[in-house]
Amino acid sequence: MNNLINYENALGHYYKTLALNSLPISSLDFYSQSFENICMIENDMKSISQLAAQNNWKLNSTSIDKHLRDQDHIIVVTNLKLQIVFATKNIWKMNRYRPTEIIGKKPKIFQGNNTCRISLEYISNSIKNNKPFEATIVNYRKDGEPYNCWIKGEPVYNVNGKVVNFIAFEKEVA
């Protein structure tokens, strides 16, 4: 029982360092799943903040933080050549790819036979014209299994008003 008290104290100390509105019931979190998720989100936020600083993003990081914490979205960032430069670690839950496997590749890696070409054309035109878009398309997991993916994408501008990246908030939907 003494180990649980130490565990609770350690978690309590760690949670105080985070910007959280609620906490999981730690004593019931024997497998540390909530703790691991919080750590994963914090690490992703640090990585996104570094990417934002490198590219002088004008984008509000509070918006990104909200998507990660409140809505459990996957975030994918591409460069202007549409190569993936960042993906949140929770992408594994949606499509079984690890971020390290897709960095440098294009989002086409997730598409397949049943991906709607009209939706892809809409997304492509939006990107070419630096316009935000929202669509639901059929994507494919690493093992080839299809899933419906809601995507909300937008260009990311730097402080000088130049598009430097594209960001997509994604979520598996029924």
Side-chain angles (χ1 to χ4, degrees), residues 72-89:
D72 198 31
H73 286 150
I74 308 304
I75 297 177
V76 176
V77 179
T78 66
N79 60 20
L80 296 180
K81 295 178 183 177
L82 300 183
Q83 296 167 316
I84 298 169
V85 295
F86 174 81
T88 51
K89 291 173 187 63

Side-chain angles (χ1 to χ4, degrees), residues 3-49:
N3 287 341
L4 275 181
I5 292 170
N6 291 338
Y7 176 75
E8 288 291 328
N9 289 337
L11 281 178
H13 177 71
Y14 176 75
Y15 289 143
K16 287 179 186 176
T17 67
L18 304 177
L20 299 174
N21 295 330
S22 63
L23 299 175
I25 300 174
S26 306
S27 61
L28 299 178
D29 188 16
F30 291 114
Y31 297 104
S32 303
Q33 291 173 342
S34 295
F35 182 72
E36 287 177 20
N37 285 340
I38 290 169
C39 291
M40 187 171 58
I41 290 168
E42 289 300 314
N43 287 333
D44 283 338
M45 280 308 302
K46 286 178 187 174
S47 297
I48 290 174
S49 295

Side-chain angles (χ1 to χ4, degrees), residues 8-9 15 26 53-54 64 87 101 131-132 135 141 143 162:
E8 288 291 328
N9 289 337
Y15 289 143
S26 306
Q54 289 170 352
I64 295 171
E101 295 178 278
K131 301 283 184 193
R141 300 185 209 289
D143 65 4
K162 180 182 173 192

Side-chain angles (χ1 to χ4, degrees), residues 17-174:
T17 67
L18 304 177
L20 299 174
N21 295 330
S22 63
L23 299 175
I25 300 174
S26 306
S27 61
L28 299 178
D29 188 16
F30 291 114
Y31 297 104
S32 303
Q33 291 173 342
S34 295
F35 182 72
E36 287 177 20
N37 285 340
I38 290 169
C39 291
M40 187 171 58
I41 290 168
E42 289 300 314
N43 287 333
D44 283 338
M45 280 308 302
K46 286 178 187 174
S47 297
I48 290 174
S49 295
Q50 289 171 347
L51 183 63
Q54 289 170 352
N55 293 295
N56 295 314
W57 285 6
K58 188 177 178 182
L59 188 65
N60 183 352
S61 64
T62 306
S63 166
I64 295 171
D65 188 52
K66 182 177 185 241
H67 279 282
L68 274 176
R69 290 183 198 283
D70 296 345
Q71 300 172 21
D72 198 31
H73 286 150
I74 308 304
I75 297 177
V76 176
V77 179
T78 66
N79 60 20
L80 296 180
K81 295 178 183 177
L82 300 183
Q83 296 167 316
I84 298 169
V85 295
F86 174 81
T88 51
K89 291 173 187 63
N90 61 347
I91 196 167
W92 167 260
K93 292 178 188 175
M94 186 168 66
N95 61 25
R96 298 296 182 228
Y97 283 99
R98 300 211 182 275
T100 54
E101 295 178 278
I102 61 173
I103 300 295
K105 298 190 172 136
K106 296 189 177 200
K108 289 182 180 193
I109 189 173
F110 309 121
Q111 298 165 13
N113 292 336
N114 291 329
T115 306
C116 177
R117 301 298 168 215
I118 295 170
S119 295
L120 291 179
E121 188 175 321
Y122 161 70
I123 293 169
S124 179
N125 287 335
S126 297
I127 290 170
K128 286 177 189 170
N129 294 309
N130 295 329
K131 301 283 184 193
F133 64 88
E134 189 171 335
T136 300
I137 64 171
V138 175
N139 270 350
Y140 290 82
R141 300 185 209 289
K142 188 176 181 180
D143 65 4
E145 178 187 355
Y147 66 96
N148 292 320
C149 183
W150 170 83
I151 305 169
K152 180 180 178 185
E154 59 188 73
V156 179
Y157 294 88
N158 67 12
V159 293
N160 298 322
K162 180 182 173 192
V163 175
V164 291
N165 291 101
F166 293 97
I167 191 166
F169 304 100
E170 302 180 10
K171 189 170 191 171
E172 184 174 355
V173 293

